[in-house]
């Protein structure tokens, strides 16, 4: 079983901006290596290849080789890959996003990355981009109650799950507000309908509790979704609310200080058999430094330091033998 000493905690590449190559592999190598060394210098040995940094499904063979060399030179292991804001049920770009996700799975397999996270969230709207915090403006909402849209999501995500399984990988579905993965009940139903033990949830509870509206209790979300978790984005927010006045406010903060009690959340995860990669994220300010603070909080204070009996997950884990559902 994993412990505080060896639990894989990966730095998200979100704070590093857009480093996708424009000209060729040589033009990108210097930027890639510089960014990865910065991550390594913060004390990370694992990294989440977040595709806001580089669009991995669009790299050619030479570029993949260069990126592999940069990871090795920086002393980093790519522990996970997060492909974001490319919903496979997008009315206009769904097929294109599906093809990109397949290429991304192939890329992950080539680099030996054990888990790929995808979601149903869309690109930020112009109104969201104008806000200090994008979640304070309305974005896309999936059509709840539309049986055809739900079936399309199940079918296309199952297709990706089968591909991942064939390549020896896991597929994780990132929970995100106002999508079919936007509540505990809907997320669990989606995984159950897909019906593959290689497909689980990425219970990014921070995506849900940051909304300036009534939200599910984070403990209830964790209890419902952790039995299906196979990868985990973690971040936290302060939250203040006056429900009677309809006032809600959230701001990003470290894992230790926010409204989600990660000491308790980790206990819930372990009790339900979670043995997967944890990816630390943060929006705003020096996101990489806060991510390092979050890593240290998890490793030094929260993750198990003594022997324990983990529960039995309902999906396959990256660090224990497969378990039948």
């Amino acid at each position: 079983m994993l412990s505080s000493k060896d639990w894989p905690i990966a730095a998200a590449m979100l704070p590093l901006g857009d480093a996708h190559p424009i000209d060729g592999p040589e033009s990108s190598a210097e930027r890639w290596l510089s960014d990865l060394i910065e991550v390594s210098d913060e004390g990370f040995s694992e990294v989440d290849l977040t595709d806001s940094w580089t669009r991995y499904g669009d790299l050619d063979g030479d570029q993949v080789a260069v990126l592999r060399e940069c990871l090795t030179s920086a002393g980093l292991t790519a522990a996970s890959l997060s492909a974001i804001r490319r919903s496979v049920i997008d009315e206009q770009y769904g097929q294109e996003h599906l093809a990109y996700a397949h290429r991304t799975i192939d890329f992950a397999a080539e680099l030996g990355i054990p888990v790929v996270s995808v979601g149903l969230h869309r690109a930020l709207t112009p109104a969201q981009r104008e806000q200090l915090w994008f979640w304070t403006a309305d974005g896309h909402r999936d059509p709840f109650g539309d049986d055809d849209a739900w079936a399309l999501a199940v079918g296309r995500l199952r297709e990706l799950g089968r591909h991942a399984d064939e390549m020896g990988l896991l597929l994780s579905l990132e929970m995100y507000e106002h999508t079919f993965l936007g509540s505990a009940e809907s997320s669990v139903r989606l995984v159950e309908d897909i019906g593959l033990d290689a497909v689980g949830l990425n219970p990014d509870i921070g995506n849900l509790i940051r909304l300036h509206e009534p939200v599910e209790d984070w403990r209830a979300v964790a209890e419902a979704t952790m039995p299906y978790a196979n990868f985990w984005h973690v971040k936290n927010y302060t939250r203040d609310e006056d429900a009677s006045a309809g006032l809600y406010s959230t701001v990003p903060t470290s894992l230790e200080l926010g409204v989600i009690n990660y000491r308790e959340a980790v206990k819930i995860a372990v009790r339900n058999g979670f043995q997967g990669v944890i990816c630390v994220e943060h929006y705003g300010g020096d996101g990489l430094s806060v991510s390092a603070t979050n890593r240290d909080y998890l490793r030094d204070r929260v993750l198990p330091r003594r022997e324990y009996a983990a529960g039995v997950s309902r999906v396959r884990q990256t660090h224990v033998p497969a378990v039948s559902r």
Side-chain angles (χ1 to χ4, degrees):
M1 296 297 172
L2 294 171
S3 71
S4 61
K5 293 182 179 180
D6 61 3
W7 208 296
I9 303 177
M13 294 302 287
L14 278 170
L16 280 298
D18 185 349
H20 192 77
I22 298 174
D23 299 320
E26 294 79 10
S27 68
S28 54
E30 184 176 353
R31 168 66 187 275
W32 280 343
L33 184 58
S34 175
D35 285 355
L36 292 170
I37 287 175
E38 193 167 356
V39 171
S40 179
D41 285 349
E42 282 293 336
F44 285 97
S45 55
E46 289 96 6
V47 64
D48 175 78
L49 293 184
T50 323
D51 77 345
S52 58
W53 183 63
T54 295
R55 296 183 292 281
Y56 309 103
D58 293 337
L59 298 180
D60 63 30
D62 290 340
Q63 292 167 333
V64 172
V66 169
L67 180 54
R68 187 199 303 270
E69 292 172 2
C70 290
L71 286 162
T72 300
S73 296
L76 291 172
T77 297
S80 56
L81 189 157
S82 297
I84 62 175
R85 301 200 179 281
R86 290 179 175 84
S87 171
V88 295
I89 61 169
D90 184 285
E91 294 78 10
Q92 184 174 359
Y93 301 109
Q95 284 282 7
E96 180 181 326
H97 292 169
L98 180 64
Y100 172 85
H102 277 296
R103 297 195 303 271
T104 299
I105 290 170
D106 289 336
F107 166 88
E110 186 171 351
L111 264 67
I113 301 171
V115 57
V116 173
S117 176
V118 300
L120 294 174
H121 41 311
R122 313 289 181 99
L124 297 177
T125 67
Q128 287 178 309
R129 292 182 180 278
E130 291 175 358
Q131 302 299 311
L132 174 61
W133 306 121
F134 62 82
W135 54 87
T136 62
D138 285 339
H140 172 82
R141 294 173 182 257
D142 278 347
F144 285 88
D146 185 329
D147 292 342
D148 290 339
W150 180 269
L152 184 64
V154 170
R156 288 183 172 175
L157 292 172
R158 183 186 290 137
E159 177 184 327
L160 292 177
R162 285 175 174 157
H163 182 189
D165 193 20
E166 290 168 0
M167 304 302 288
L169 313 180
L170 301 182
L171 187 72
S172 195
L173 308 181
E174 180 181 353
M175 295 181 67
Y176 194 91
E177 66 262 25
H178 301 147
T179 71
F180 290 149
L181 290 159
S183 71
E185 180 182 7
S186 181
S187 298
V188 167
R189 179 189 163 204
L190 188 60
V191 171
E192 288 285 4
D193 283 1
I194 291 168
L196 302 174
D197 73 349
V199 179
L201 290 177
N202 168 3
D204 193 338
I205 303 172
N207 285 343
L208 310 185
I209 62 95
R210 68 190 176 194
L211 297 179
H212 287 197
E213 61 187 57
V215 296
E216 292 182 84
D217 179 81
W218 72 262
R219 292 175 187 82
V221 175
E223 291 284 5
T225 60
M226 280 301 173
Y228 301 85
N230 60 3
F231 176 56
W232 194 7
H233 284 173
V234 296
K235 53 182 176 283
N236 216 343
Y237 297 82
T238 63
R239 182 173 175 88
D240 189 26
E241 56 182 65
D242 181 351
S244 62
L247 299 176
Y248 306 91
S249 178
T250 63
V251 175
T253 189
S254 66
L255 293 189
E256 185 176 9
L257 299 179
V259 69
I260 302 169
N261 180 348
Y262 274 96
R263 182 180 296 274
E264 185 175 347
V266 166
K267 290 177 183 177
I268 295 170
V270 170
R271 186 171 72 242
N272 285 286
F274 177 68
Q275 295 281 288
V277 176
I278 298 173
C279 171
V280 286
E281 297 183 312
H282 184 76
Y283 285 105
D286 184 353
L288 182 57
S289 289
V290 177
S291 295
T293 298
N294 290 340
R295 175 204 63 216
D296 294 344
Y297 163 71
L298 290 171
R299 203 173 295 286
D300 297 342
R301 300 187 183 183
V302 172
L303 290 169
R305 284 167 283 182
R306 301 174 183 268
E307 291 187 7
Y308 63 96
V312 178
S313 176
R314 300 192 185 188
V315 295
R316 197 185 310 167
Q317 300 294 308
T318 55
H319 289 79
V320 293
V323 175
S324 298
R325 296 178 68 179

